[in-house]
Amino acid sequence: MSNKNNHKNDTKEKQNNQKKENETDIIRENGQLMLEHNKEKYHIQLITIIGEIEGHENLGTNSKTTKYEHILPKLAAIEDDVSVDGILVLLHTMGGDVEAGLAIAELIASISKPTVSLVLGGSHSIGIPIAVSTDYSFIVPTGTMVVHPVRMSGTVIGAPQTFDYFKQMQERISQFVSKHSNISKKRFEELMMETKMLTKDIGTILEGKEAVDEGLIDEVGGLERAMKELKKRIRGCDDK
């Protein structure tokens, strides 16, 4: 009997170790983890938006990137998975591919489950729509958000159609941000076009409380506040 119990314990320990190794691999590759050891027994999916948001072109191997081809399928799977109760999005990004970032933001905004975001070091450029795409958003006191116009990089065709495209893209971003936050489209575009703050560039840097005062982010707070808010919203869904 003792040998059988020892065998069962060894098997269980191996399974637990294998699970931990798998979770570590997932974090290393995609920055994703299921948070499920809380006292409420909620299954909360953690999504991280870290480094540069990668689009259709692969960035260098030395760059920290968030790949949209990883994030989009994961978000679709979360929406379809009845065991997932909510989503926590952690952001520390310099921005990146505009189309990819806006696609991620649109998908998060369309999810039916409770979502909360937390801006850590920064959520700049196209990271802003992702930060505001959740049901409720937080920023740490030292967090920053850089608001600036869509930038042109690489080969640019000097034709009116090119400039019209960038103008339309900027309009899409402004509309999305104003729709999913408490800042007006007019004010957001004013921050975009500010010429006095950034050296040799156009735009505005907002620190923690400033981002809240402008209406971009809902509240200044850290991980504890973000988790409490998400669990509150999950409970609200359970009560319906």
Side-chain angles (χ1 to χ4, degrees):
M1 183 66 73
S2 177
N3 289 335
K4 287 185 178 180
N5 288 335
N6 289 336
H7 178 70
K8 286 181 179 179
N9 290 335
D10 289 342
T11 301
K12 188 174 182 179
E13 185 177 353
K14 288 179 181 179
Q15 290 174 342
N16 289 335
N17 290 336
Q18 184 62 51
K19 183 179 179 181
K20 289 179 181 178
E21 288 179 9
N22 292 339
E23 287 178 347
T24 301
D25 290 340
I26 292 172
I27 295 171
R28 186 184 299 116
E29 292 298 320
N30 303 327
Q32 301 166 9
L33 179 67
M34 182 65 72
L35 308 176
E36 54 188 2
H37 300 297
N38 50 84
K39 64 180 181 180
E40 295 88 351
K41 304 300 182 183
Y42 292 143
H43 290 74
I44 297 172
Q45 180 67 56
L46 172 66
I47 298 288
T48 59
I49 308 295
I50 293 175
E52 189 169 353
I53 298 168
E54 193 175 83
H56 297 301
E57 296 182 4
N58 291 329
L59 298 175
T61 54
N62 292 328
S63 300
K64 292 283 186 182
T65 64
T66 294
K67 299 177 183 295
Y68 84 111
E69 68 267 28
H70 290 170
I71 299 294
L72 297 185
K74 185 62 181 180
L75 291 172
I78 292 169
E79 176 67 13
D80 191 54
D81 190 344
V82 294
S83 69
V84 178
D85 298 302
I87 304 173
L88 176 65
V89 182
L90 300 183
L91 298 106
H92 181 32
T93 176
M94 59 186 290
D97 187 282
V98 175
E99 292 276 7
L102 200 53
I104 293 171
E106 289 279 12
L107 201 56
I108 292 174
S110 69
I111 287 178
S112 62
K113 300 179 182 188
T115 57
V116 167
S117 64
L118 172 59
V119 176
L120 298 171
S123 185
H124 310 319
S125 188
I126 199 60
I128 293 174
I130 299 176
V132 306
S133 66
T134 54
D135 300 328
Y136 202 82
S137 57
F138 290 87
I139 185 170
V140 295
T142 57
T144 58
M145 305 184 84
V146 178
V147 186
H148 63 72
V150 175
R151 294 190 177 108
M152 298 182 183
S153 60
T155 302
V156 177
I157 300 174
Q161 291 87 342
T162 302
F163 296 100
D164 286 343
Y165 168 78
F166 280 94
K167 186 178 179 181
Q168 289 171 9
M169 177 59 69
Q170 197 161 290
E171 180 77 9
R172 287 167 59 194
I173 293 170
S174 299
Q175 287 182 347
F176 182 91
V177 170
S178 62
K179 180 180 177 182
H180 294 278
S181 68
N182 295 314
I183 194 171
S184 68
K185 181 172 176 290
K186 180 175 182 295
R187 179 55 181 160
F188 185 70
E189 290 175 346
E190 287 175 354
L191 295 175
M192 270 186 173
M193 299 303 176
E194 174 62 55
T195 59
K196 298 177 183 178
M197 182 170 287
L198 296 178
T199 305
K200 298 181 180 180
D201 203 350
I202 300 173
T204 303
I205 301 174
L206 299 174
E207 294 186 358
K209 188 175 183 300
E210 293 173 322
V212 175
D213 292 342
E214 289 287 356
L216 265 181
I217 298 296
D218 292 310
E219 189 177 331
V220 175
L223 184 58
E224 181 184 12
R225 284 289 303 118
M227 290 293 285
K228 281 184 177 179
E229 180 65 29
L230 181 55
K231 290 176 182 179
K232 182 181 79 174
R233 290 174 178 269
I234 293 172
R235 281 194 299 272
C237 290
D238 291 341
D239 293 339
K240 291 180 180 178

